[in-house]
């Protein structure tokens, strides 16, 4: 196995600067969990991370999601080099396109341009931590191999890629 692509916080617990730390939108010293808003689509796209992205798709009316938000924010602070996004699917139907999410929370994990995980999980932050731990240990070649293991995973690359979703929406609003 090659070099793992794992990220972690500094031993002191202090956030370490990420590649996009010049942007207040993704600067972990200012905000660890970005709540996506229609007005910030282009700003997010302009500084979209080149490494790990974790997006939580939720619904404002979902009680489990509201409780999960605080846990996800804590997890985001523990991993300052990973960009975490909170996306209310009802406020972002334009972003969702043909992606049909009806169970919450649904989690997207993307490394570079590869969607490495997309599924509904229980509202238990420990489950997300275990999934992250498994993916963060893998090298890029293994992650790429995993994206092709099934028709479903190959479809994720086309329908669930967050950067591509933002690009599509921003292109249609220009």
């Amino acid at each position: 196995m090659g070099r793992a692509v794992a990220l972690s916080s500094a031993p002191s617990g202090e956030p370490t600067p990420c590649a996009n730390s010049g942007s207040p939108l993704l600067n972990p010293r200012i905000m660890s969990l970005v709540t996506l808003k229609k007005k910030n689509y282009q700003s997010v796209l302009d500084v979209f991370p080149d490494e790990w992205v974790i997006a939580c798709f939720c619904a404002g009316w979902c009680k489990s999601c509201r409780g999960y938000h605080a846990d996800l924010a804590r997890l985001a602070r523990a991993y300052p080099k990973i960009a975490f996004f909170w996306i209310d699917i009802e406020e972002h139907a334009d972003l969702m396109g043909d992606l049909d999410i009806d169970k919450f929370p649904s989690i997207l994990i993307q490394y570079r341009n590869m969607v490495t995980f997309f599924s509904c999980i229980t509202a238990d932050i420990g489950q997300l931590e275990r999934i992250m731990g498994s993916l963060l240990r893998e090298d890029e070649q293994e992650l790429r191999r995993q994206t092709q293991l099934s028709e479903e995973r190959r479809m994720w690359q086309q329908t669930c890629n967050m950067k591509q979703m933002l690009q599509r929406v921003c292109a249609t609003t220009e």
Side-chain angles (χ1 to χ4, degrees), residues 26 31 45 69 73 92 96 122 138-139 141 158:
L26 294 180
M31 184 181 311
L45 187 55
H69 186 272
H92 301 286
M96 304 313 293
T122 61
E138 300 297 348
D139 64 24
Q141 182 177 356
Q158 298 166 12

Side-chain angles (χ1 to χ4, degrees), residues 5-171:
V5 291
L7 301 169
S8 64
S9 58
S12 66
E14 274 297 302
T16 54
C18 67
N20 295 318
S21 62
S23 166
L25 187 61
L26 294 180
N27 186 331
R29 294 183 189 279
I30 296 172
M31 184 181 311
S32 297
L33 175 61
V34 174
T35 298
L36 194 64
K37 301 286 183 192
K38 286 182 186 257
K39 66 183 179 184
N40 71 6
Y41 283 175
Q42 187 62 53
S43 297
V44 168
L45 187 55
D46 289 345
V47 296
F48 199 82
D50 292 330
E51 299 289 325
W52 289 100
V53 170
I54 296 178
C56 179
F57 296 95
C58 61
W61 52 261
C62 175
K63 186 176 179 180
S64 295
C65 290
R66 286 193 303 269
Y68 195 69
H69 186 272
D71 292 335
L72 190 63
R74 280 190 292 278
L75 187 61
R77 286 190 297 275
Y79 289 88
K81 290 186 179 182
I82 297 175
F84 285 79
F85 294 94
W86 185 263
I87 304 169
D88 186 319
I89 65 161
E90 293 184 342
E91 291 178 13
H92 301 286
D94 56 339
L95 182 70
M96 304 313 293
D98 293 333
L99 190 59
D100 186 25
I101 296 176
D102 58 2
K103 295 183 176 104
F104 307 105
S106 286
I107 300 293
L108 164 78
I109 302 177
Q110 185 170 326
Y111 178 70
R112 297 194 174 158
N113 211 31
M114 296 178 282
V115 177
T116 60
F117 180 86
F118 179 71
S119 184
C120 175
I121 65 172
T122 61
D124 170 12
I125 203 68
Q127 184 181 17
L128 178 55
E129 288 177 298
R130 289 185 296 279
I131 294 166
M132 286 173 55
S134 173
L135 292 170
L136 291 171
R137 282 190 295 273
E138 300 297 348
D139 64 24
E140 187 169 352
Q141 182 177 356
E142 176 59 17
L143 292 172
R144 189 169 314 285
R145 186 189 73 76
Q146 289 179 17
T147 66
Q148 302 302 309
L149 287 177
S150 67
E151 182 61 33
E152 179 183 39
R153 287 175 180 245
R154 288 187 292 276
M155 185 62 75
W156 292 349
Q157 309 314 306
Q158 298 166 12
T159 59
C160 304
N161 184 303
M162 189 167 158
K163 185 173 186 177
Q164 290 174 5
M165 292 189 312
L166 286 165
Q167 288 170 331
R168 179 181 42 78
V169 172
C170 289

